[in-house]
Amino acid sequence: MSDQTSEAQAEGRPSVGAELAQSLATEGQRRGKSRNVRALGRLIPFARAHLTDALLALVFLVFTASATLGISGALRLLVDHLTGQGGEAPTVRSVAPWFWLLSSVAVALAVGSALRYFFVTKLGERIVADLRKAVYRHILTLDPAFFLQTRTGEVLSRLTTDVQIVENLLATSISFALRNLLTLVGALVLLVIVSPQLTGLVLLVFPVVLAPLFLFGRQVRKLTTSAQDKFAAAVGFAGESLDALETVQAFGRERTAAERFGAAVEDSFATSLTRMRARALMTAMVIALVFGGIVFVFWLAVGAGLRGEMSWGQLFQFAFLAVMAGSSVGALGEVWGEVQKAAGAMERIAGLLDARPGIAPPAKPVPLPRPRGDVAFEAVTFAYPGRPDLPALKGFSLHVHPGERVALVGPSGSGKTTVFRLLLRFYDPQAGRVVLDGVDLRDADPAEVRARLALVAQDSALFSGSAAENVRFGREDASPEAILAAVRAAQAESFLEALPQGLDTPVGERARGLSGGQRQRLAIARALVREAPVLLLDEATSALDAENERLVQEALDRAMEGRTTLVIAHRLATVLKADRIVVMEEGRVVEEGTHHDLVAKGGLYARLAALQFGEAA
């Protein structure tokens, strides 16, 4: 376990596993109360943003449904003509126009179906693309407190797998469902016109058909949500294992990790299998009830035709419409399972969209004055969410003047990293205030606050892409000249120029193609190009060997010139060069002064210096 992880636990942050369990339990209770597909209503604003495509999709849906129903009318006219009920004996010449009519309707149906597919699919794909962007954009606004409760793998599962389920509904199933729904309504209207009495019998079948739809549909939705939760847990574990793959392999735990992931996947599959059984049974019951009812009604229709109560053309039209209505109901029964599945997925996505960050810009943020780098903590008390009884800072006060270098030292759990988190406004204190250039951070826009800060952590996160792209991450509008100047100042030019494509060389995922010292210097270059007035160094050299520490320290010395600098440090070189050393214990400032003054006092710092620096203290 790293020093930072130990410090996080000591500072009272909640157990991630416990918080995740609580989060999932709360969400499970919320889902248990949901008894319909209202979650899919969250897609309406996305559809409204593309109203033209939505209207065109609706027009061609109505057109194709009308063309499908028009075939029944053309068929009725043809049969009446063939049976002589049209007033004249049929001939090859007289029959031809009716076949031309059938062909015309078929061509119109083909063209309308193509346009319907295009516009419905385009609309569905557009909605899903907007949904993906909206979910990811919202995730980026959530504060660290949210990710203490929900693992990254869980979030990624909702962003990928759940959105894919919704995409399947919108891109294919919804078109199929709407077409069948319009066909069903149109067929019922025409059935009433053809034979009201027999249509009444058809309608009596519908309640019997709809019962299994709702009975099994609800179960399908719940099982889908459960399966996705279990799969998300598997993805979360896989993400953790792959992120620490070297550790897994170093301890020979590949089989254990594979077995845990396999067990989670099998658990998800077992739930999916139960869902598939329920949906298969629902489909079988719907089709059996629909077509059983149609056969019965058709038998009655044939009797009416034989008694002369309706023409054979009417009989054929009624039979065609009845089969069409039955097929539509059966198709809707199948699609209903997809709708329930998508509703379960959309509930999980909505859980992300409904999450609100605890840190947000005020309604009228106070603009920050000209950058000076003046930092102050005034009687700050702070406890991490879920652990109010164990504050990480207790009445903490500190004033860092513009351009001053201040080192924070103290045992693990004393609150050093918490100071940085509050200054970056990842959290707000429960008491006291944090002030930057004279403005309380709670009154300012967090984005404006963070624009004045540059962070170099012990294990700085870098990204796939080139070295230049990683440096530009510090300031998006940085010119190539500014990037090169930052690289030189960070002592990174020599090793970057030795790469095959120089600064444009891809450095691999998380820059694993570079050594630890090279990554740190690249992170320092990223902080330098930011040109921020306040520099935060969180044990930036503690994990480096002597040679890399010397290079990185030289880069840090340049980075600190002309900037207010707060340093969390255990290394003697950094501490000696600080203008002031602030010693922390249990969330409070217990000593302040220079290295020599504090050693002479013989207090906590002297003991820490003796332990860490030996005789060099």
Side-chain angles (χ1 to χ4, degrees):
M1 184 178 294
S2 69
D3 290 342
Q4 286 181 310
T5 305
S6 301
E7 182 167 340
Q9 291 181 345
E11 287 174 7
R13 271 170 273 170
S15 163
V16 175
E19 290 287 357
L20 176 61
Q22 181 181 358
S23 172
L24 294 179
T26 302
E27 192 167 348
Q29 292 172 0
R30 177 181 60 79
R31 290 176 189 153
K33 297 176 183 178
S34 177
R35 300 188 179 276
N36 51 39
V37 294
R38 283 181 295 180
L40 294 175
R42 299 291 293 267
L43 297 171
I44 293 175
F46 294 96
R48 195 180 293 127
H50 305 283
L51 194 57
T52 301
D53 285 339
L55 291 175
L56 286 172
L58 181 61
V59 166
F60 289 112
L61 277 167
V62 174
F63 180 80
T64 52
S66 302
T68 304
L69 296 169
I71 292 177
S72 72
L75 184 64
R76 171 180 174 175
L77 294 173
L78 174 62
V79 172
D80 280 343
H81 182 77
L82 291 174
T83 56
Q85 294 172 330
E88 59 181 49
T91 64
V92 174
R93 183 180 297 274
S94 65
V95 168
W98 305 114
F99 279 97
W100 280 111
L101 177 62
L102 274 173
S103 299
S104 300
V105 174
V107 170
L109 177 60
V111 174
S113 296
L115 293 170
R116 169 192 57 80
Y117 170 80
F118 174 78
F119 283 106
V120 171
T121 305
K122 178 187 176 185
L123 178 64
E125 294 282 0
R126 183 67 266 174
I127 290 173
V128 169
D130 290 348
L131 177 63
R132 277 198 177 101
K133 291 192 296 183
V135 173
Y136 186 69
R137 186 166 54 245
H138 183 70
I139 290 171
L140 293 178
T141 68
L142 300 177
D143 50 40
F146 173 82
F147 292 96
L148 288 177
Q149 300 173 357
T150 310
R151 286 189 297 183
T152 305
E154 165 81 6
V155 174
L156 291 177
S157 174
R158 299 188 192 193
L159 185 60
T160 54
T161 308
D162 290 335
V163 172
Q164 184 65 48
I165 292 173
V166 175
E167 180 179 14
N168 292 339
L169 175 72
L170 295 179
T172 55
S173 301
I174 197 68
S175 172
F176 187 62
L178 290 174
R179 185 190 64 182
N180 280 284
L181 179 62
L182 291 172
T183 300
L184 173 61
V185 173
L188 290 175
V189 172
L190 290 179
L191 282 170
V192 171
I193 295 173
V194 174
S195 176
Q197 296 83 2
L198 292 176
T199 303
L201 293 175
V202 171
L203 293 176
L204 288 176
V205 177
F206 274 77
V208 181
V209 174
L210 293 176
L213 279 180
F214 289 101
L215 178 65
F216 288 96
R218 185 181 302 169
Q219 185 180 4
V220 167
R221 178 182 58 78
K222 289 181 179 179
L223 289 169
T224 296
T225 303
S226 177
Q228 287 304 110
D229 282 339
K230 291 175 180 178
F231 180 72
V235 171
F237 172 73
E240 290 177 351
S241 300
L242 292 176
D243 191 41
L245 183 58
E246 293 179 359
T247 302
V248 172
Q249 292 176 343
F251 283 88
R253 306 290 287 183
E254 296 94 332
R255 177 179 294 180
T256 303
E259 287 175 353
R260 283 189 60 185
F261 179 73
V265 170
E266 288 298 324
D267 194 16
S268 174
F269 173 73
T271 306
S272 296
L273 199 61
T274 305
R275 172 183 58 78
M276 287 183 274
R277 290 195 191 101
R279 184 173 171 184
L281 182 58
M282 177 184 72
T283 302
M285 291 182 67
V286 168
I287 292 176
L289 291 170
V290 166
F291 286 97
I294 288 175
V295 169
F296 172 70
V297 174
F298 187 56
W299 176 68
L300 296 177
V302 170
L306 291 172
R307 292 192 298 272
E309 295 175 1
M310 59 191 308
S311 69
W312 290 110
Q314 286 178 300
L315 176 61
F316 270 85
Q317 184 182 21
F318 186 88
F320 186 86
L321 290 170
V323 170
M324 190 177 296
S327 299
S328 296
V329 173
L332 287 172
E334 289 191 47
V335 174
W336 185 246
E338 291 292 330
V339 172
Q340 292 288 341
K341 184 177 179 181
M346 194 62 205
E347 279 185 321
R348 288 163 44 82
I349 296 170
L352 278 182
L353 291 172
D354 290 339
R356 290 291 172 263
I359 305 299
K364 294 182 179 180
V366 175
L368 293 176
R370 183 179 60 83
R372 294 184 297 114
D374 188 87
V375 176
F377 290 77
E378 300 175 357
V380 169
T381 296
F382 171 75
Y384 283 96
R387 300 295 296 273
D389 54 329
L390 292 174
L393 295 178
K394 307 171 187 175
F396 177 81
S397 294
L398 174 67
H399 187 195
V400 183
H401 301 283
E404 187 180 14
R405 300 182 186 183
V406 173
L408 302 179
V409 300
S412 294
S414 59
K416 302 185 298 295
T417 300
T418 301
V419 171
F420 279 19
R421 289 198 170 104
L422 292 179
L423 186 54
L424 286 161
R425 212 188 164 206
F426 293 152
Y427 303 93
D428 282 334
Q430 284 86 30
R433 64 178 193 151
V434 183
V435 179
L436 177 63
D437 290 333
V439 176
D440 189 330
L441 297 192
R442 283 173 291 204
D443 298 329
D445 186 337
E448 191 178 355
V449 170
R450 292 164 190 163
R452 300 196 175 190
L453 307 171
L455 173 68
V456 180
Q458 179 179 358
D459 185 15
S460 296
L462 297 174
F463 306 94
S464 59
S466 69
E469 288 171 340
N470 271 285
V471 176
R472 186 176 286 111
F473 192 85
R475 181 161 59 91
E476 192 173 2
D477 61 350
S479 65
E481 293 76 17
I483 291 173
L484 185 58
V487 166
R488 285 173 178 165
Q491 304 285 326
E493 185 180 18
S494 58
F495 76 83
L496 288 177
E497 284 185 343
L499 296 176
Q501 301 171 43
L503 268 71
D504 296 323
T505 304
V507 293
E509 184 181 3
R510 301 193 179 186
R512 285 175 177 159
L514 303 177
S515 70
Q518 291 170 341
R519 284 197 297 268
Q520 280 298 79
R521 281 179 275 167
L522 197 59
I524 293 169
R526 180 176 64 187
L528 286 174
V529 83
R530 194 165 176 78
E531 297 180 351
V534 179
L535 182 63
L536 306 178
L537 304 177
D538 190 353
E539 300 189 45
T541 63
S542 64
L544 303 178
D545 57 55
E547 176 60 23
N548 273 310
E549 181 190 357
R550 182 185 64 80
L551 292 171
V552 170
Q553 191 60 53
E554 289 177 4
L556 289 175
D557 290 341
R558 293 193 181 187
M560 289 187 282
E561 291 176 1
R563 291 181 171 87
T564 301
T565 306
L566 274 168
V567 185
I568 295 176
H570 292 156
R571 297 284 189 170
L572 180 60
T574 306
V575 171
L576 286 174
K577 294 181 180 180
D579 298 321
R580 183 162 40 118
I581 299 171
V582 175
V583 186
M584 298 180 62
E585 185 177 27
E586 296 182 353
R588 296 186 177 92
V589 175
V590 293
E591 294 178 336
E592 279 189 73
T594 65
H595 170 74
H596 297 291
D597 292 340
L598 293 174
V599 169
K601 287 182 180 179
L604 174 60
Y605 180 81
R607 293 196 301 273
L608 291 174
L611 287 171
Q612 296 177 17
F613 310 139
E615 293 183 3

